[in-house]
Amino acid sequence: EHAPSPRHDCDLAIVVSCSLSEFIFSGSQHDIKTLDRRNLRVVLPPRTLSKSLSREGMPYSEKDALGQRTAHKGALIVHLYTNWSEARVQAQQWMRTLLWVGGAVLFFTNSSLFFMLVMLYSFLSRS
């Protein structure tokens, strides 16, 4: 459950978070409670940082040319936040996994090259 935060004129802004893998690959879904206490499901496609939902912000009224008031609503702007320090840790874990898998494949396909690379790595890591 999220509470809308800053207000810009009649538009409201809200910040939601998701994991890096959701941001890049699958997109994310968030349930947001609006001002009139409705639950609104917001779907952000992959690699999208914000989305504007019209007529979900602050209500306001305007006078038209004849002097009659008409009711309107501003927009609700949803901003996506991704924790980039968490992303670095996830990338390191994926790289470690890929190195293990790549090393196993190389060992079974070309074992002499595998052992040569292991010796080169151990030599370079001492320096």
Side-chain angles (χ1 to χ4, degrees), residues 9-110:
D9 294 328
C10 293
D11 296 338
L12 295 175
I14 189 169
V15 177
V16 295
S17 63
C18 74
S19 69
L20 182 66
S21 61
E22 286 178 330
F23 172 69
I24 293 174
F25 300 116
S26 65
S28 59
Q29 295 183 4
H30 306 277
D31 291 322
I32 297 173
K33 188 171 273 195
T34 61
L35 286 177
D36 52 359
R37 295 192 185 357
R38 289 181 298 125
N39 285 325
L40 186 65
R41 175 153 297 210
V42 178
V43 178
L44 291 163
R47 297 168 300 281
T48 302
L49 291 175
S50 66
K51 185 172 187 174
S52 179
L53 305 169
S54 61
R55 297 183 300 279
E56 295 294 342
M58 292 292 293
Y60 66 97
S61 61
E62 286 183 331
K63 284 186 180 181
D64 62 6
L66 300 174
Q68 296 178 342
R69 292 194 175 270
T70 56
H72 299 286
K73 278 188 170 183
L76 176 64
I77 303 166
V78 180
H79 297 284
L80 187 65
Y81 169 77
T82 300
N83 188 350
W84 293 105
S85 61
E86 178 185 305
R88 192 182 107 253
V89 171
Q90 287 177 353
Q92 287 174 340
Q93 290 171 346
W94 275 106
M95 287 304 296
R96 190 174 298 122
T97 302
L98 287 174
L99 283 173
W100 276 101
V101 170
V105 168
L106 186 61
F107 176 78
F108 288 114
T109 58
N110 192 346

